[in-house]
Amino acid sequence: MKKFPEGFIWGTATSSYQIEGAWEKDGKGWSIWDAFSHTSGKTANGETGDIACDHFHRYKEDIKIMADMGLKAYRFSISWPRIFPAGTGKVNEQGLQFYSDLVDELLKYDIEPWVTLYHWDLPLALQMEYDGWLGDKIADFFAEYAEVCFKKLGDRVKKWITLNEPWVVSILGYGQGVMAPGRISNSEPYLAAHNLLLAHAKAVKCYRDKFQDAQKGKIGITNNCDWREPLTRNLEDQVAAQRALEFFLGWFADPVYFGDYPQVMKERVQERLPSFTEEEKEMLKGSSDFFGLNHYTTMMAEADTGKKVEQNVYGNGGISEDQEVILHVDPSWKKTDMGWAIVPWGCKKLLLWIQNRYKPEEIIITENGCAFDNGPENGVVKDTGRIDFYDSYLSEALLAIEDGAKLTGYFAWSFMDNFEWALGYGKRFGMVHVDFESLKRTPKNSALWYKEVIASNQLPEK
Ligand code: PNW
């Protein structure tokens, strides 16, 4: 059995709105997810994150479980409206204190905090008064918020992630409307994405100008991408798969690594794609110290020759009309409770595609995981499907490392079952089971399996 590289970072991930609860506690303002989940018809069974896992009150118990698992790192996000109830202006010290205490508790057990500044819970006030990610002041507000976090926590937090999955914010929040703020448009996603990228760049500039020398941390962005495999070996389908990847990941990673959008997007999206000034390009280029990747699944790509639009599987594809790519899933592929196909080799191919295109010094998988619904029986949760999933994806990640991908860390999504956005509590991604009535935590067998992986730095013999 091959070992992972020495010092490999093993972690789990969560996000504020999905686990914290305490939605109006200690001066927190409302986020767009508070408003969205409280709007009838937007989430499964009208479920909300009002209580969620009540992590806000139970973080010590949760961190104890993390320590028992032997986690080296824990990725969580800060709720912007806990820090700035109105999005900008006055800071809520009580909100900051919660995260400061959380960080101290993690460090007590030698678990390194990896902090995401934005995992989708935008202060509602900024949505109402400034049009959220469509407004031209949003990047400055984000940098203002980020600076407060660097100042208060940067003495102890050495890993920062500005944004989680701007693709999801743009496509699912502004394109398909299934996530907050629930807008449906074929132009707004491009504008939201543009402002997200500028917000990222401004926060990074602030960190580098004012904090990085003294605090000696790293800062980057996390993008999500599925793999796109050409449906056939025809040149058209190969080009279509490449185009789909550029529309998905290149949209965000090209500006961060090269300073501008992919050419193919400029050609196809035209005036709906905003452009960067020279100064903005400079600010964006090289603005991530590591390549943060969230990866879940794979689809096959076919060039859309114009006749098949109706049968397109739009869901995961970006703004499909602009790409002219039809997505397919192989019927033989097994699926998780999300309906996402389990295709471990797609993970390897994607890692190598990233290494080859961007040549990052480090890639960190900041999320990978699966939803399966297994509950405790006599205190034991036999989630073999989840163990198989992790084992297969990690095996492929290891092969990618052997082939040159500089993968240096891996975060399982998720530490515990939580609020899966519009799908509510029915989709369970956790290594730790949460009973949403009693809020009791039960580590699943996958948590015990992961503990073994971490301790030995390799995958156990099967
Ligand atoms: C990610 N898609 O979301 C998020 O970062 C997590 O908050 C979430 O719980 C997890 O993955 C599981 O869903 C995604 O449709 C949501 O392609 C949707 C998609 C991708 C990622």
Side-chain angles (χ1 to χ4, degrees), residues 14-15 18 75 119-120 164-165 167-168 171-172 176 178-179 222 224-226 228 248 294-297 299 315-317 338 340 366-371 413-414 418-421 423 427 429:
T14 63
S15 86
Q18 293 179 275
R75 173 176 177 241
H119 200 127
W120 312 351
N164 179 68
E165 304 187 347
W167 181 93
V168 168
I171 292 290
L172 304 185
Q176 300 176 6
V178 296
M179 298 254 186
T222 277
N224 62 302
C225 195
D226 303 339
R228 296 293 182 243
F248 202 146
N294 292 354
H295 173 71
Y296 288 92
T297 190
M299 286 190 197
N316 257 351
M338 293 294 279
W340 295 348
T366 43
E367 282 181 28
N368 173 238
C370 53
W413 182 272
S414 176
N418 57 50
F419 179 73
E420 180 52 33
W421 308 109
L423 302 175
K427 305 291 176 228
F429 275 91

Side-chain angles (χ1 to χ4, degrees), residues 112-389:
E112 184 178 42
W114 283 61
V115 178
T116 306
L117 290 167
Y118 185 71
H119 200 127
W120 312 351
D121 41 0
L122 186 77
L124 182 61
L126 296 182
Q127 188 68 43
M128 294 174 71
E129 293 164 31
Y130 297 94
D131 232 356
W133 290 106
L134 302 179
D136 59 8
K137 292 201 178 69
I138 194 75
D140 290 322
F141 293 144
F142 181 70
E144 176 193 8
Y145 154 62
E147 178 161 5
V148 166
C149 296
F150 301 146
K151 206 177 277 172
K152 173 82 179 187
L153 305 171
D155 57 334
R156 288 154 291 154
V157 172
K158 305 298 171 190
K159 300 290 164 23
W160 296 97
I161 294 168
T162 54
L163 307 177
N164 179 68
E165 304 187 347
W167 181 93
V168 168
V169 177
S170 307
I171 292 290
L172 304 185
Y174 288 85
Q176 300 176 6
V178 296
M179 298 254 186
R183 297 189 58 84
I184 298 175
S185 161
N186 78 344
S187 60
E188 288 180 3
Y190 295 114
L191 179 55
H194 196 74
N195 288 325
L196 282 155
L197 281 162
L198 292 174
H200 155 77
K202 284 195 177 173
V204 171
K205 182 170 168 21
C206 167
Y207 187 66
R208 289 184 177 164
D209 287 354
K210 300 190 189 170
F211 300 94
Q212 198 162 30
D213 284 348
Q215 297 184 350
K216 306 204 183 332
K218 288 185 180 178
I219 188 163
I221 186 169
T222 277
N223 285 302
N224 62 302
C225 195
D226 303 339
W227 176 246
R228 296 293 182 243
E229 181 72 9
L231 180 68
T232 71
R233 298 179 62 180
N234 294 345
L235 184 60
E236 280 179 338
D237 289 345
Q238 292 187 35
V239 172
Q242 173 72 16
R243 185 163 70 241
L245 289 167
E246 290 185 28
F247 262 84
F248 202 146
L249 187 55
W251 184 8
F252 298 95
D254 276 27
V256 166
Y257 282 84
F258 309 141
D260 207 354
Y261 295 118
Q263 189 59 31
V264 70
M265 288 188 72
K266 292 187 190 179
E267 281 161 13
R268 288 173 167 261
V269 183
Q270 297 184 7
E271 71 288 345
R272 283 175 297 130
L273 188 71
S275 44
F276 296 113
T277 64
E278 287 309 312
E279 196 190 336
E280 289 168 345
K281 286 180 186 174
E282 275 312 302
M283 185 169 63
L284 274 158
K285 200 172 164 178
S287 61
S288 200
D289 295 329
F290 51 84
F291 197 107
L293 173 71
N294 292 354
H295 173 71
Y296 288 92
T297 190
T298 285
M299 286 190 197
M300 287 179 301
E302 179 190 13
D304 186 346
T305 46
K307 17 181 210 298
K308 292 174 181 154
V309 188
E310 305 96 77
Q311 71 192 64
N312 207 342
V313 191
Y314 279 153
N316 257 351
I319 299 178
S320 309
E321 312 85 274
D322 294 330
Q323 299 180 34
E324 294 181 291
V325 176
I326 301 179
L327 298 173
H328 301 266
V329 176
D330 188 317
S332 74
W333 290 344
K334 292 209 179 87
K335 292 180 182 161
T336 68
D337 284 357
M338 293 294 279
W340 295 348
I342 304 173
V343 191
W345 53 260
C347 182
K348 175 186 171 193
K349 290 201 179 193
L350 179 60
L351 287 168
L352 291 170
W353 188 86
I354 289 169
Q355 191 64 49
N356 187 37
R357 185 176 179 90
Y358 301 108
K359 311 200 165 32
E361 279 165 38
E362 284 185 71
I363 305 176
I364 314 275
I365 293 184
T366 43
E367 282 181 28
N368 173 238
C370 53
F372 285 115
D373 190 2
N374 308 102
E377 287 167 50
N378 304 317
V380 178
V381 185
K382 294 183 185 154
D383 58 338
T384 36
R386 178 170 291 98
I387 295 174
D388 290 347
F389 179 97

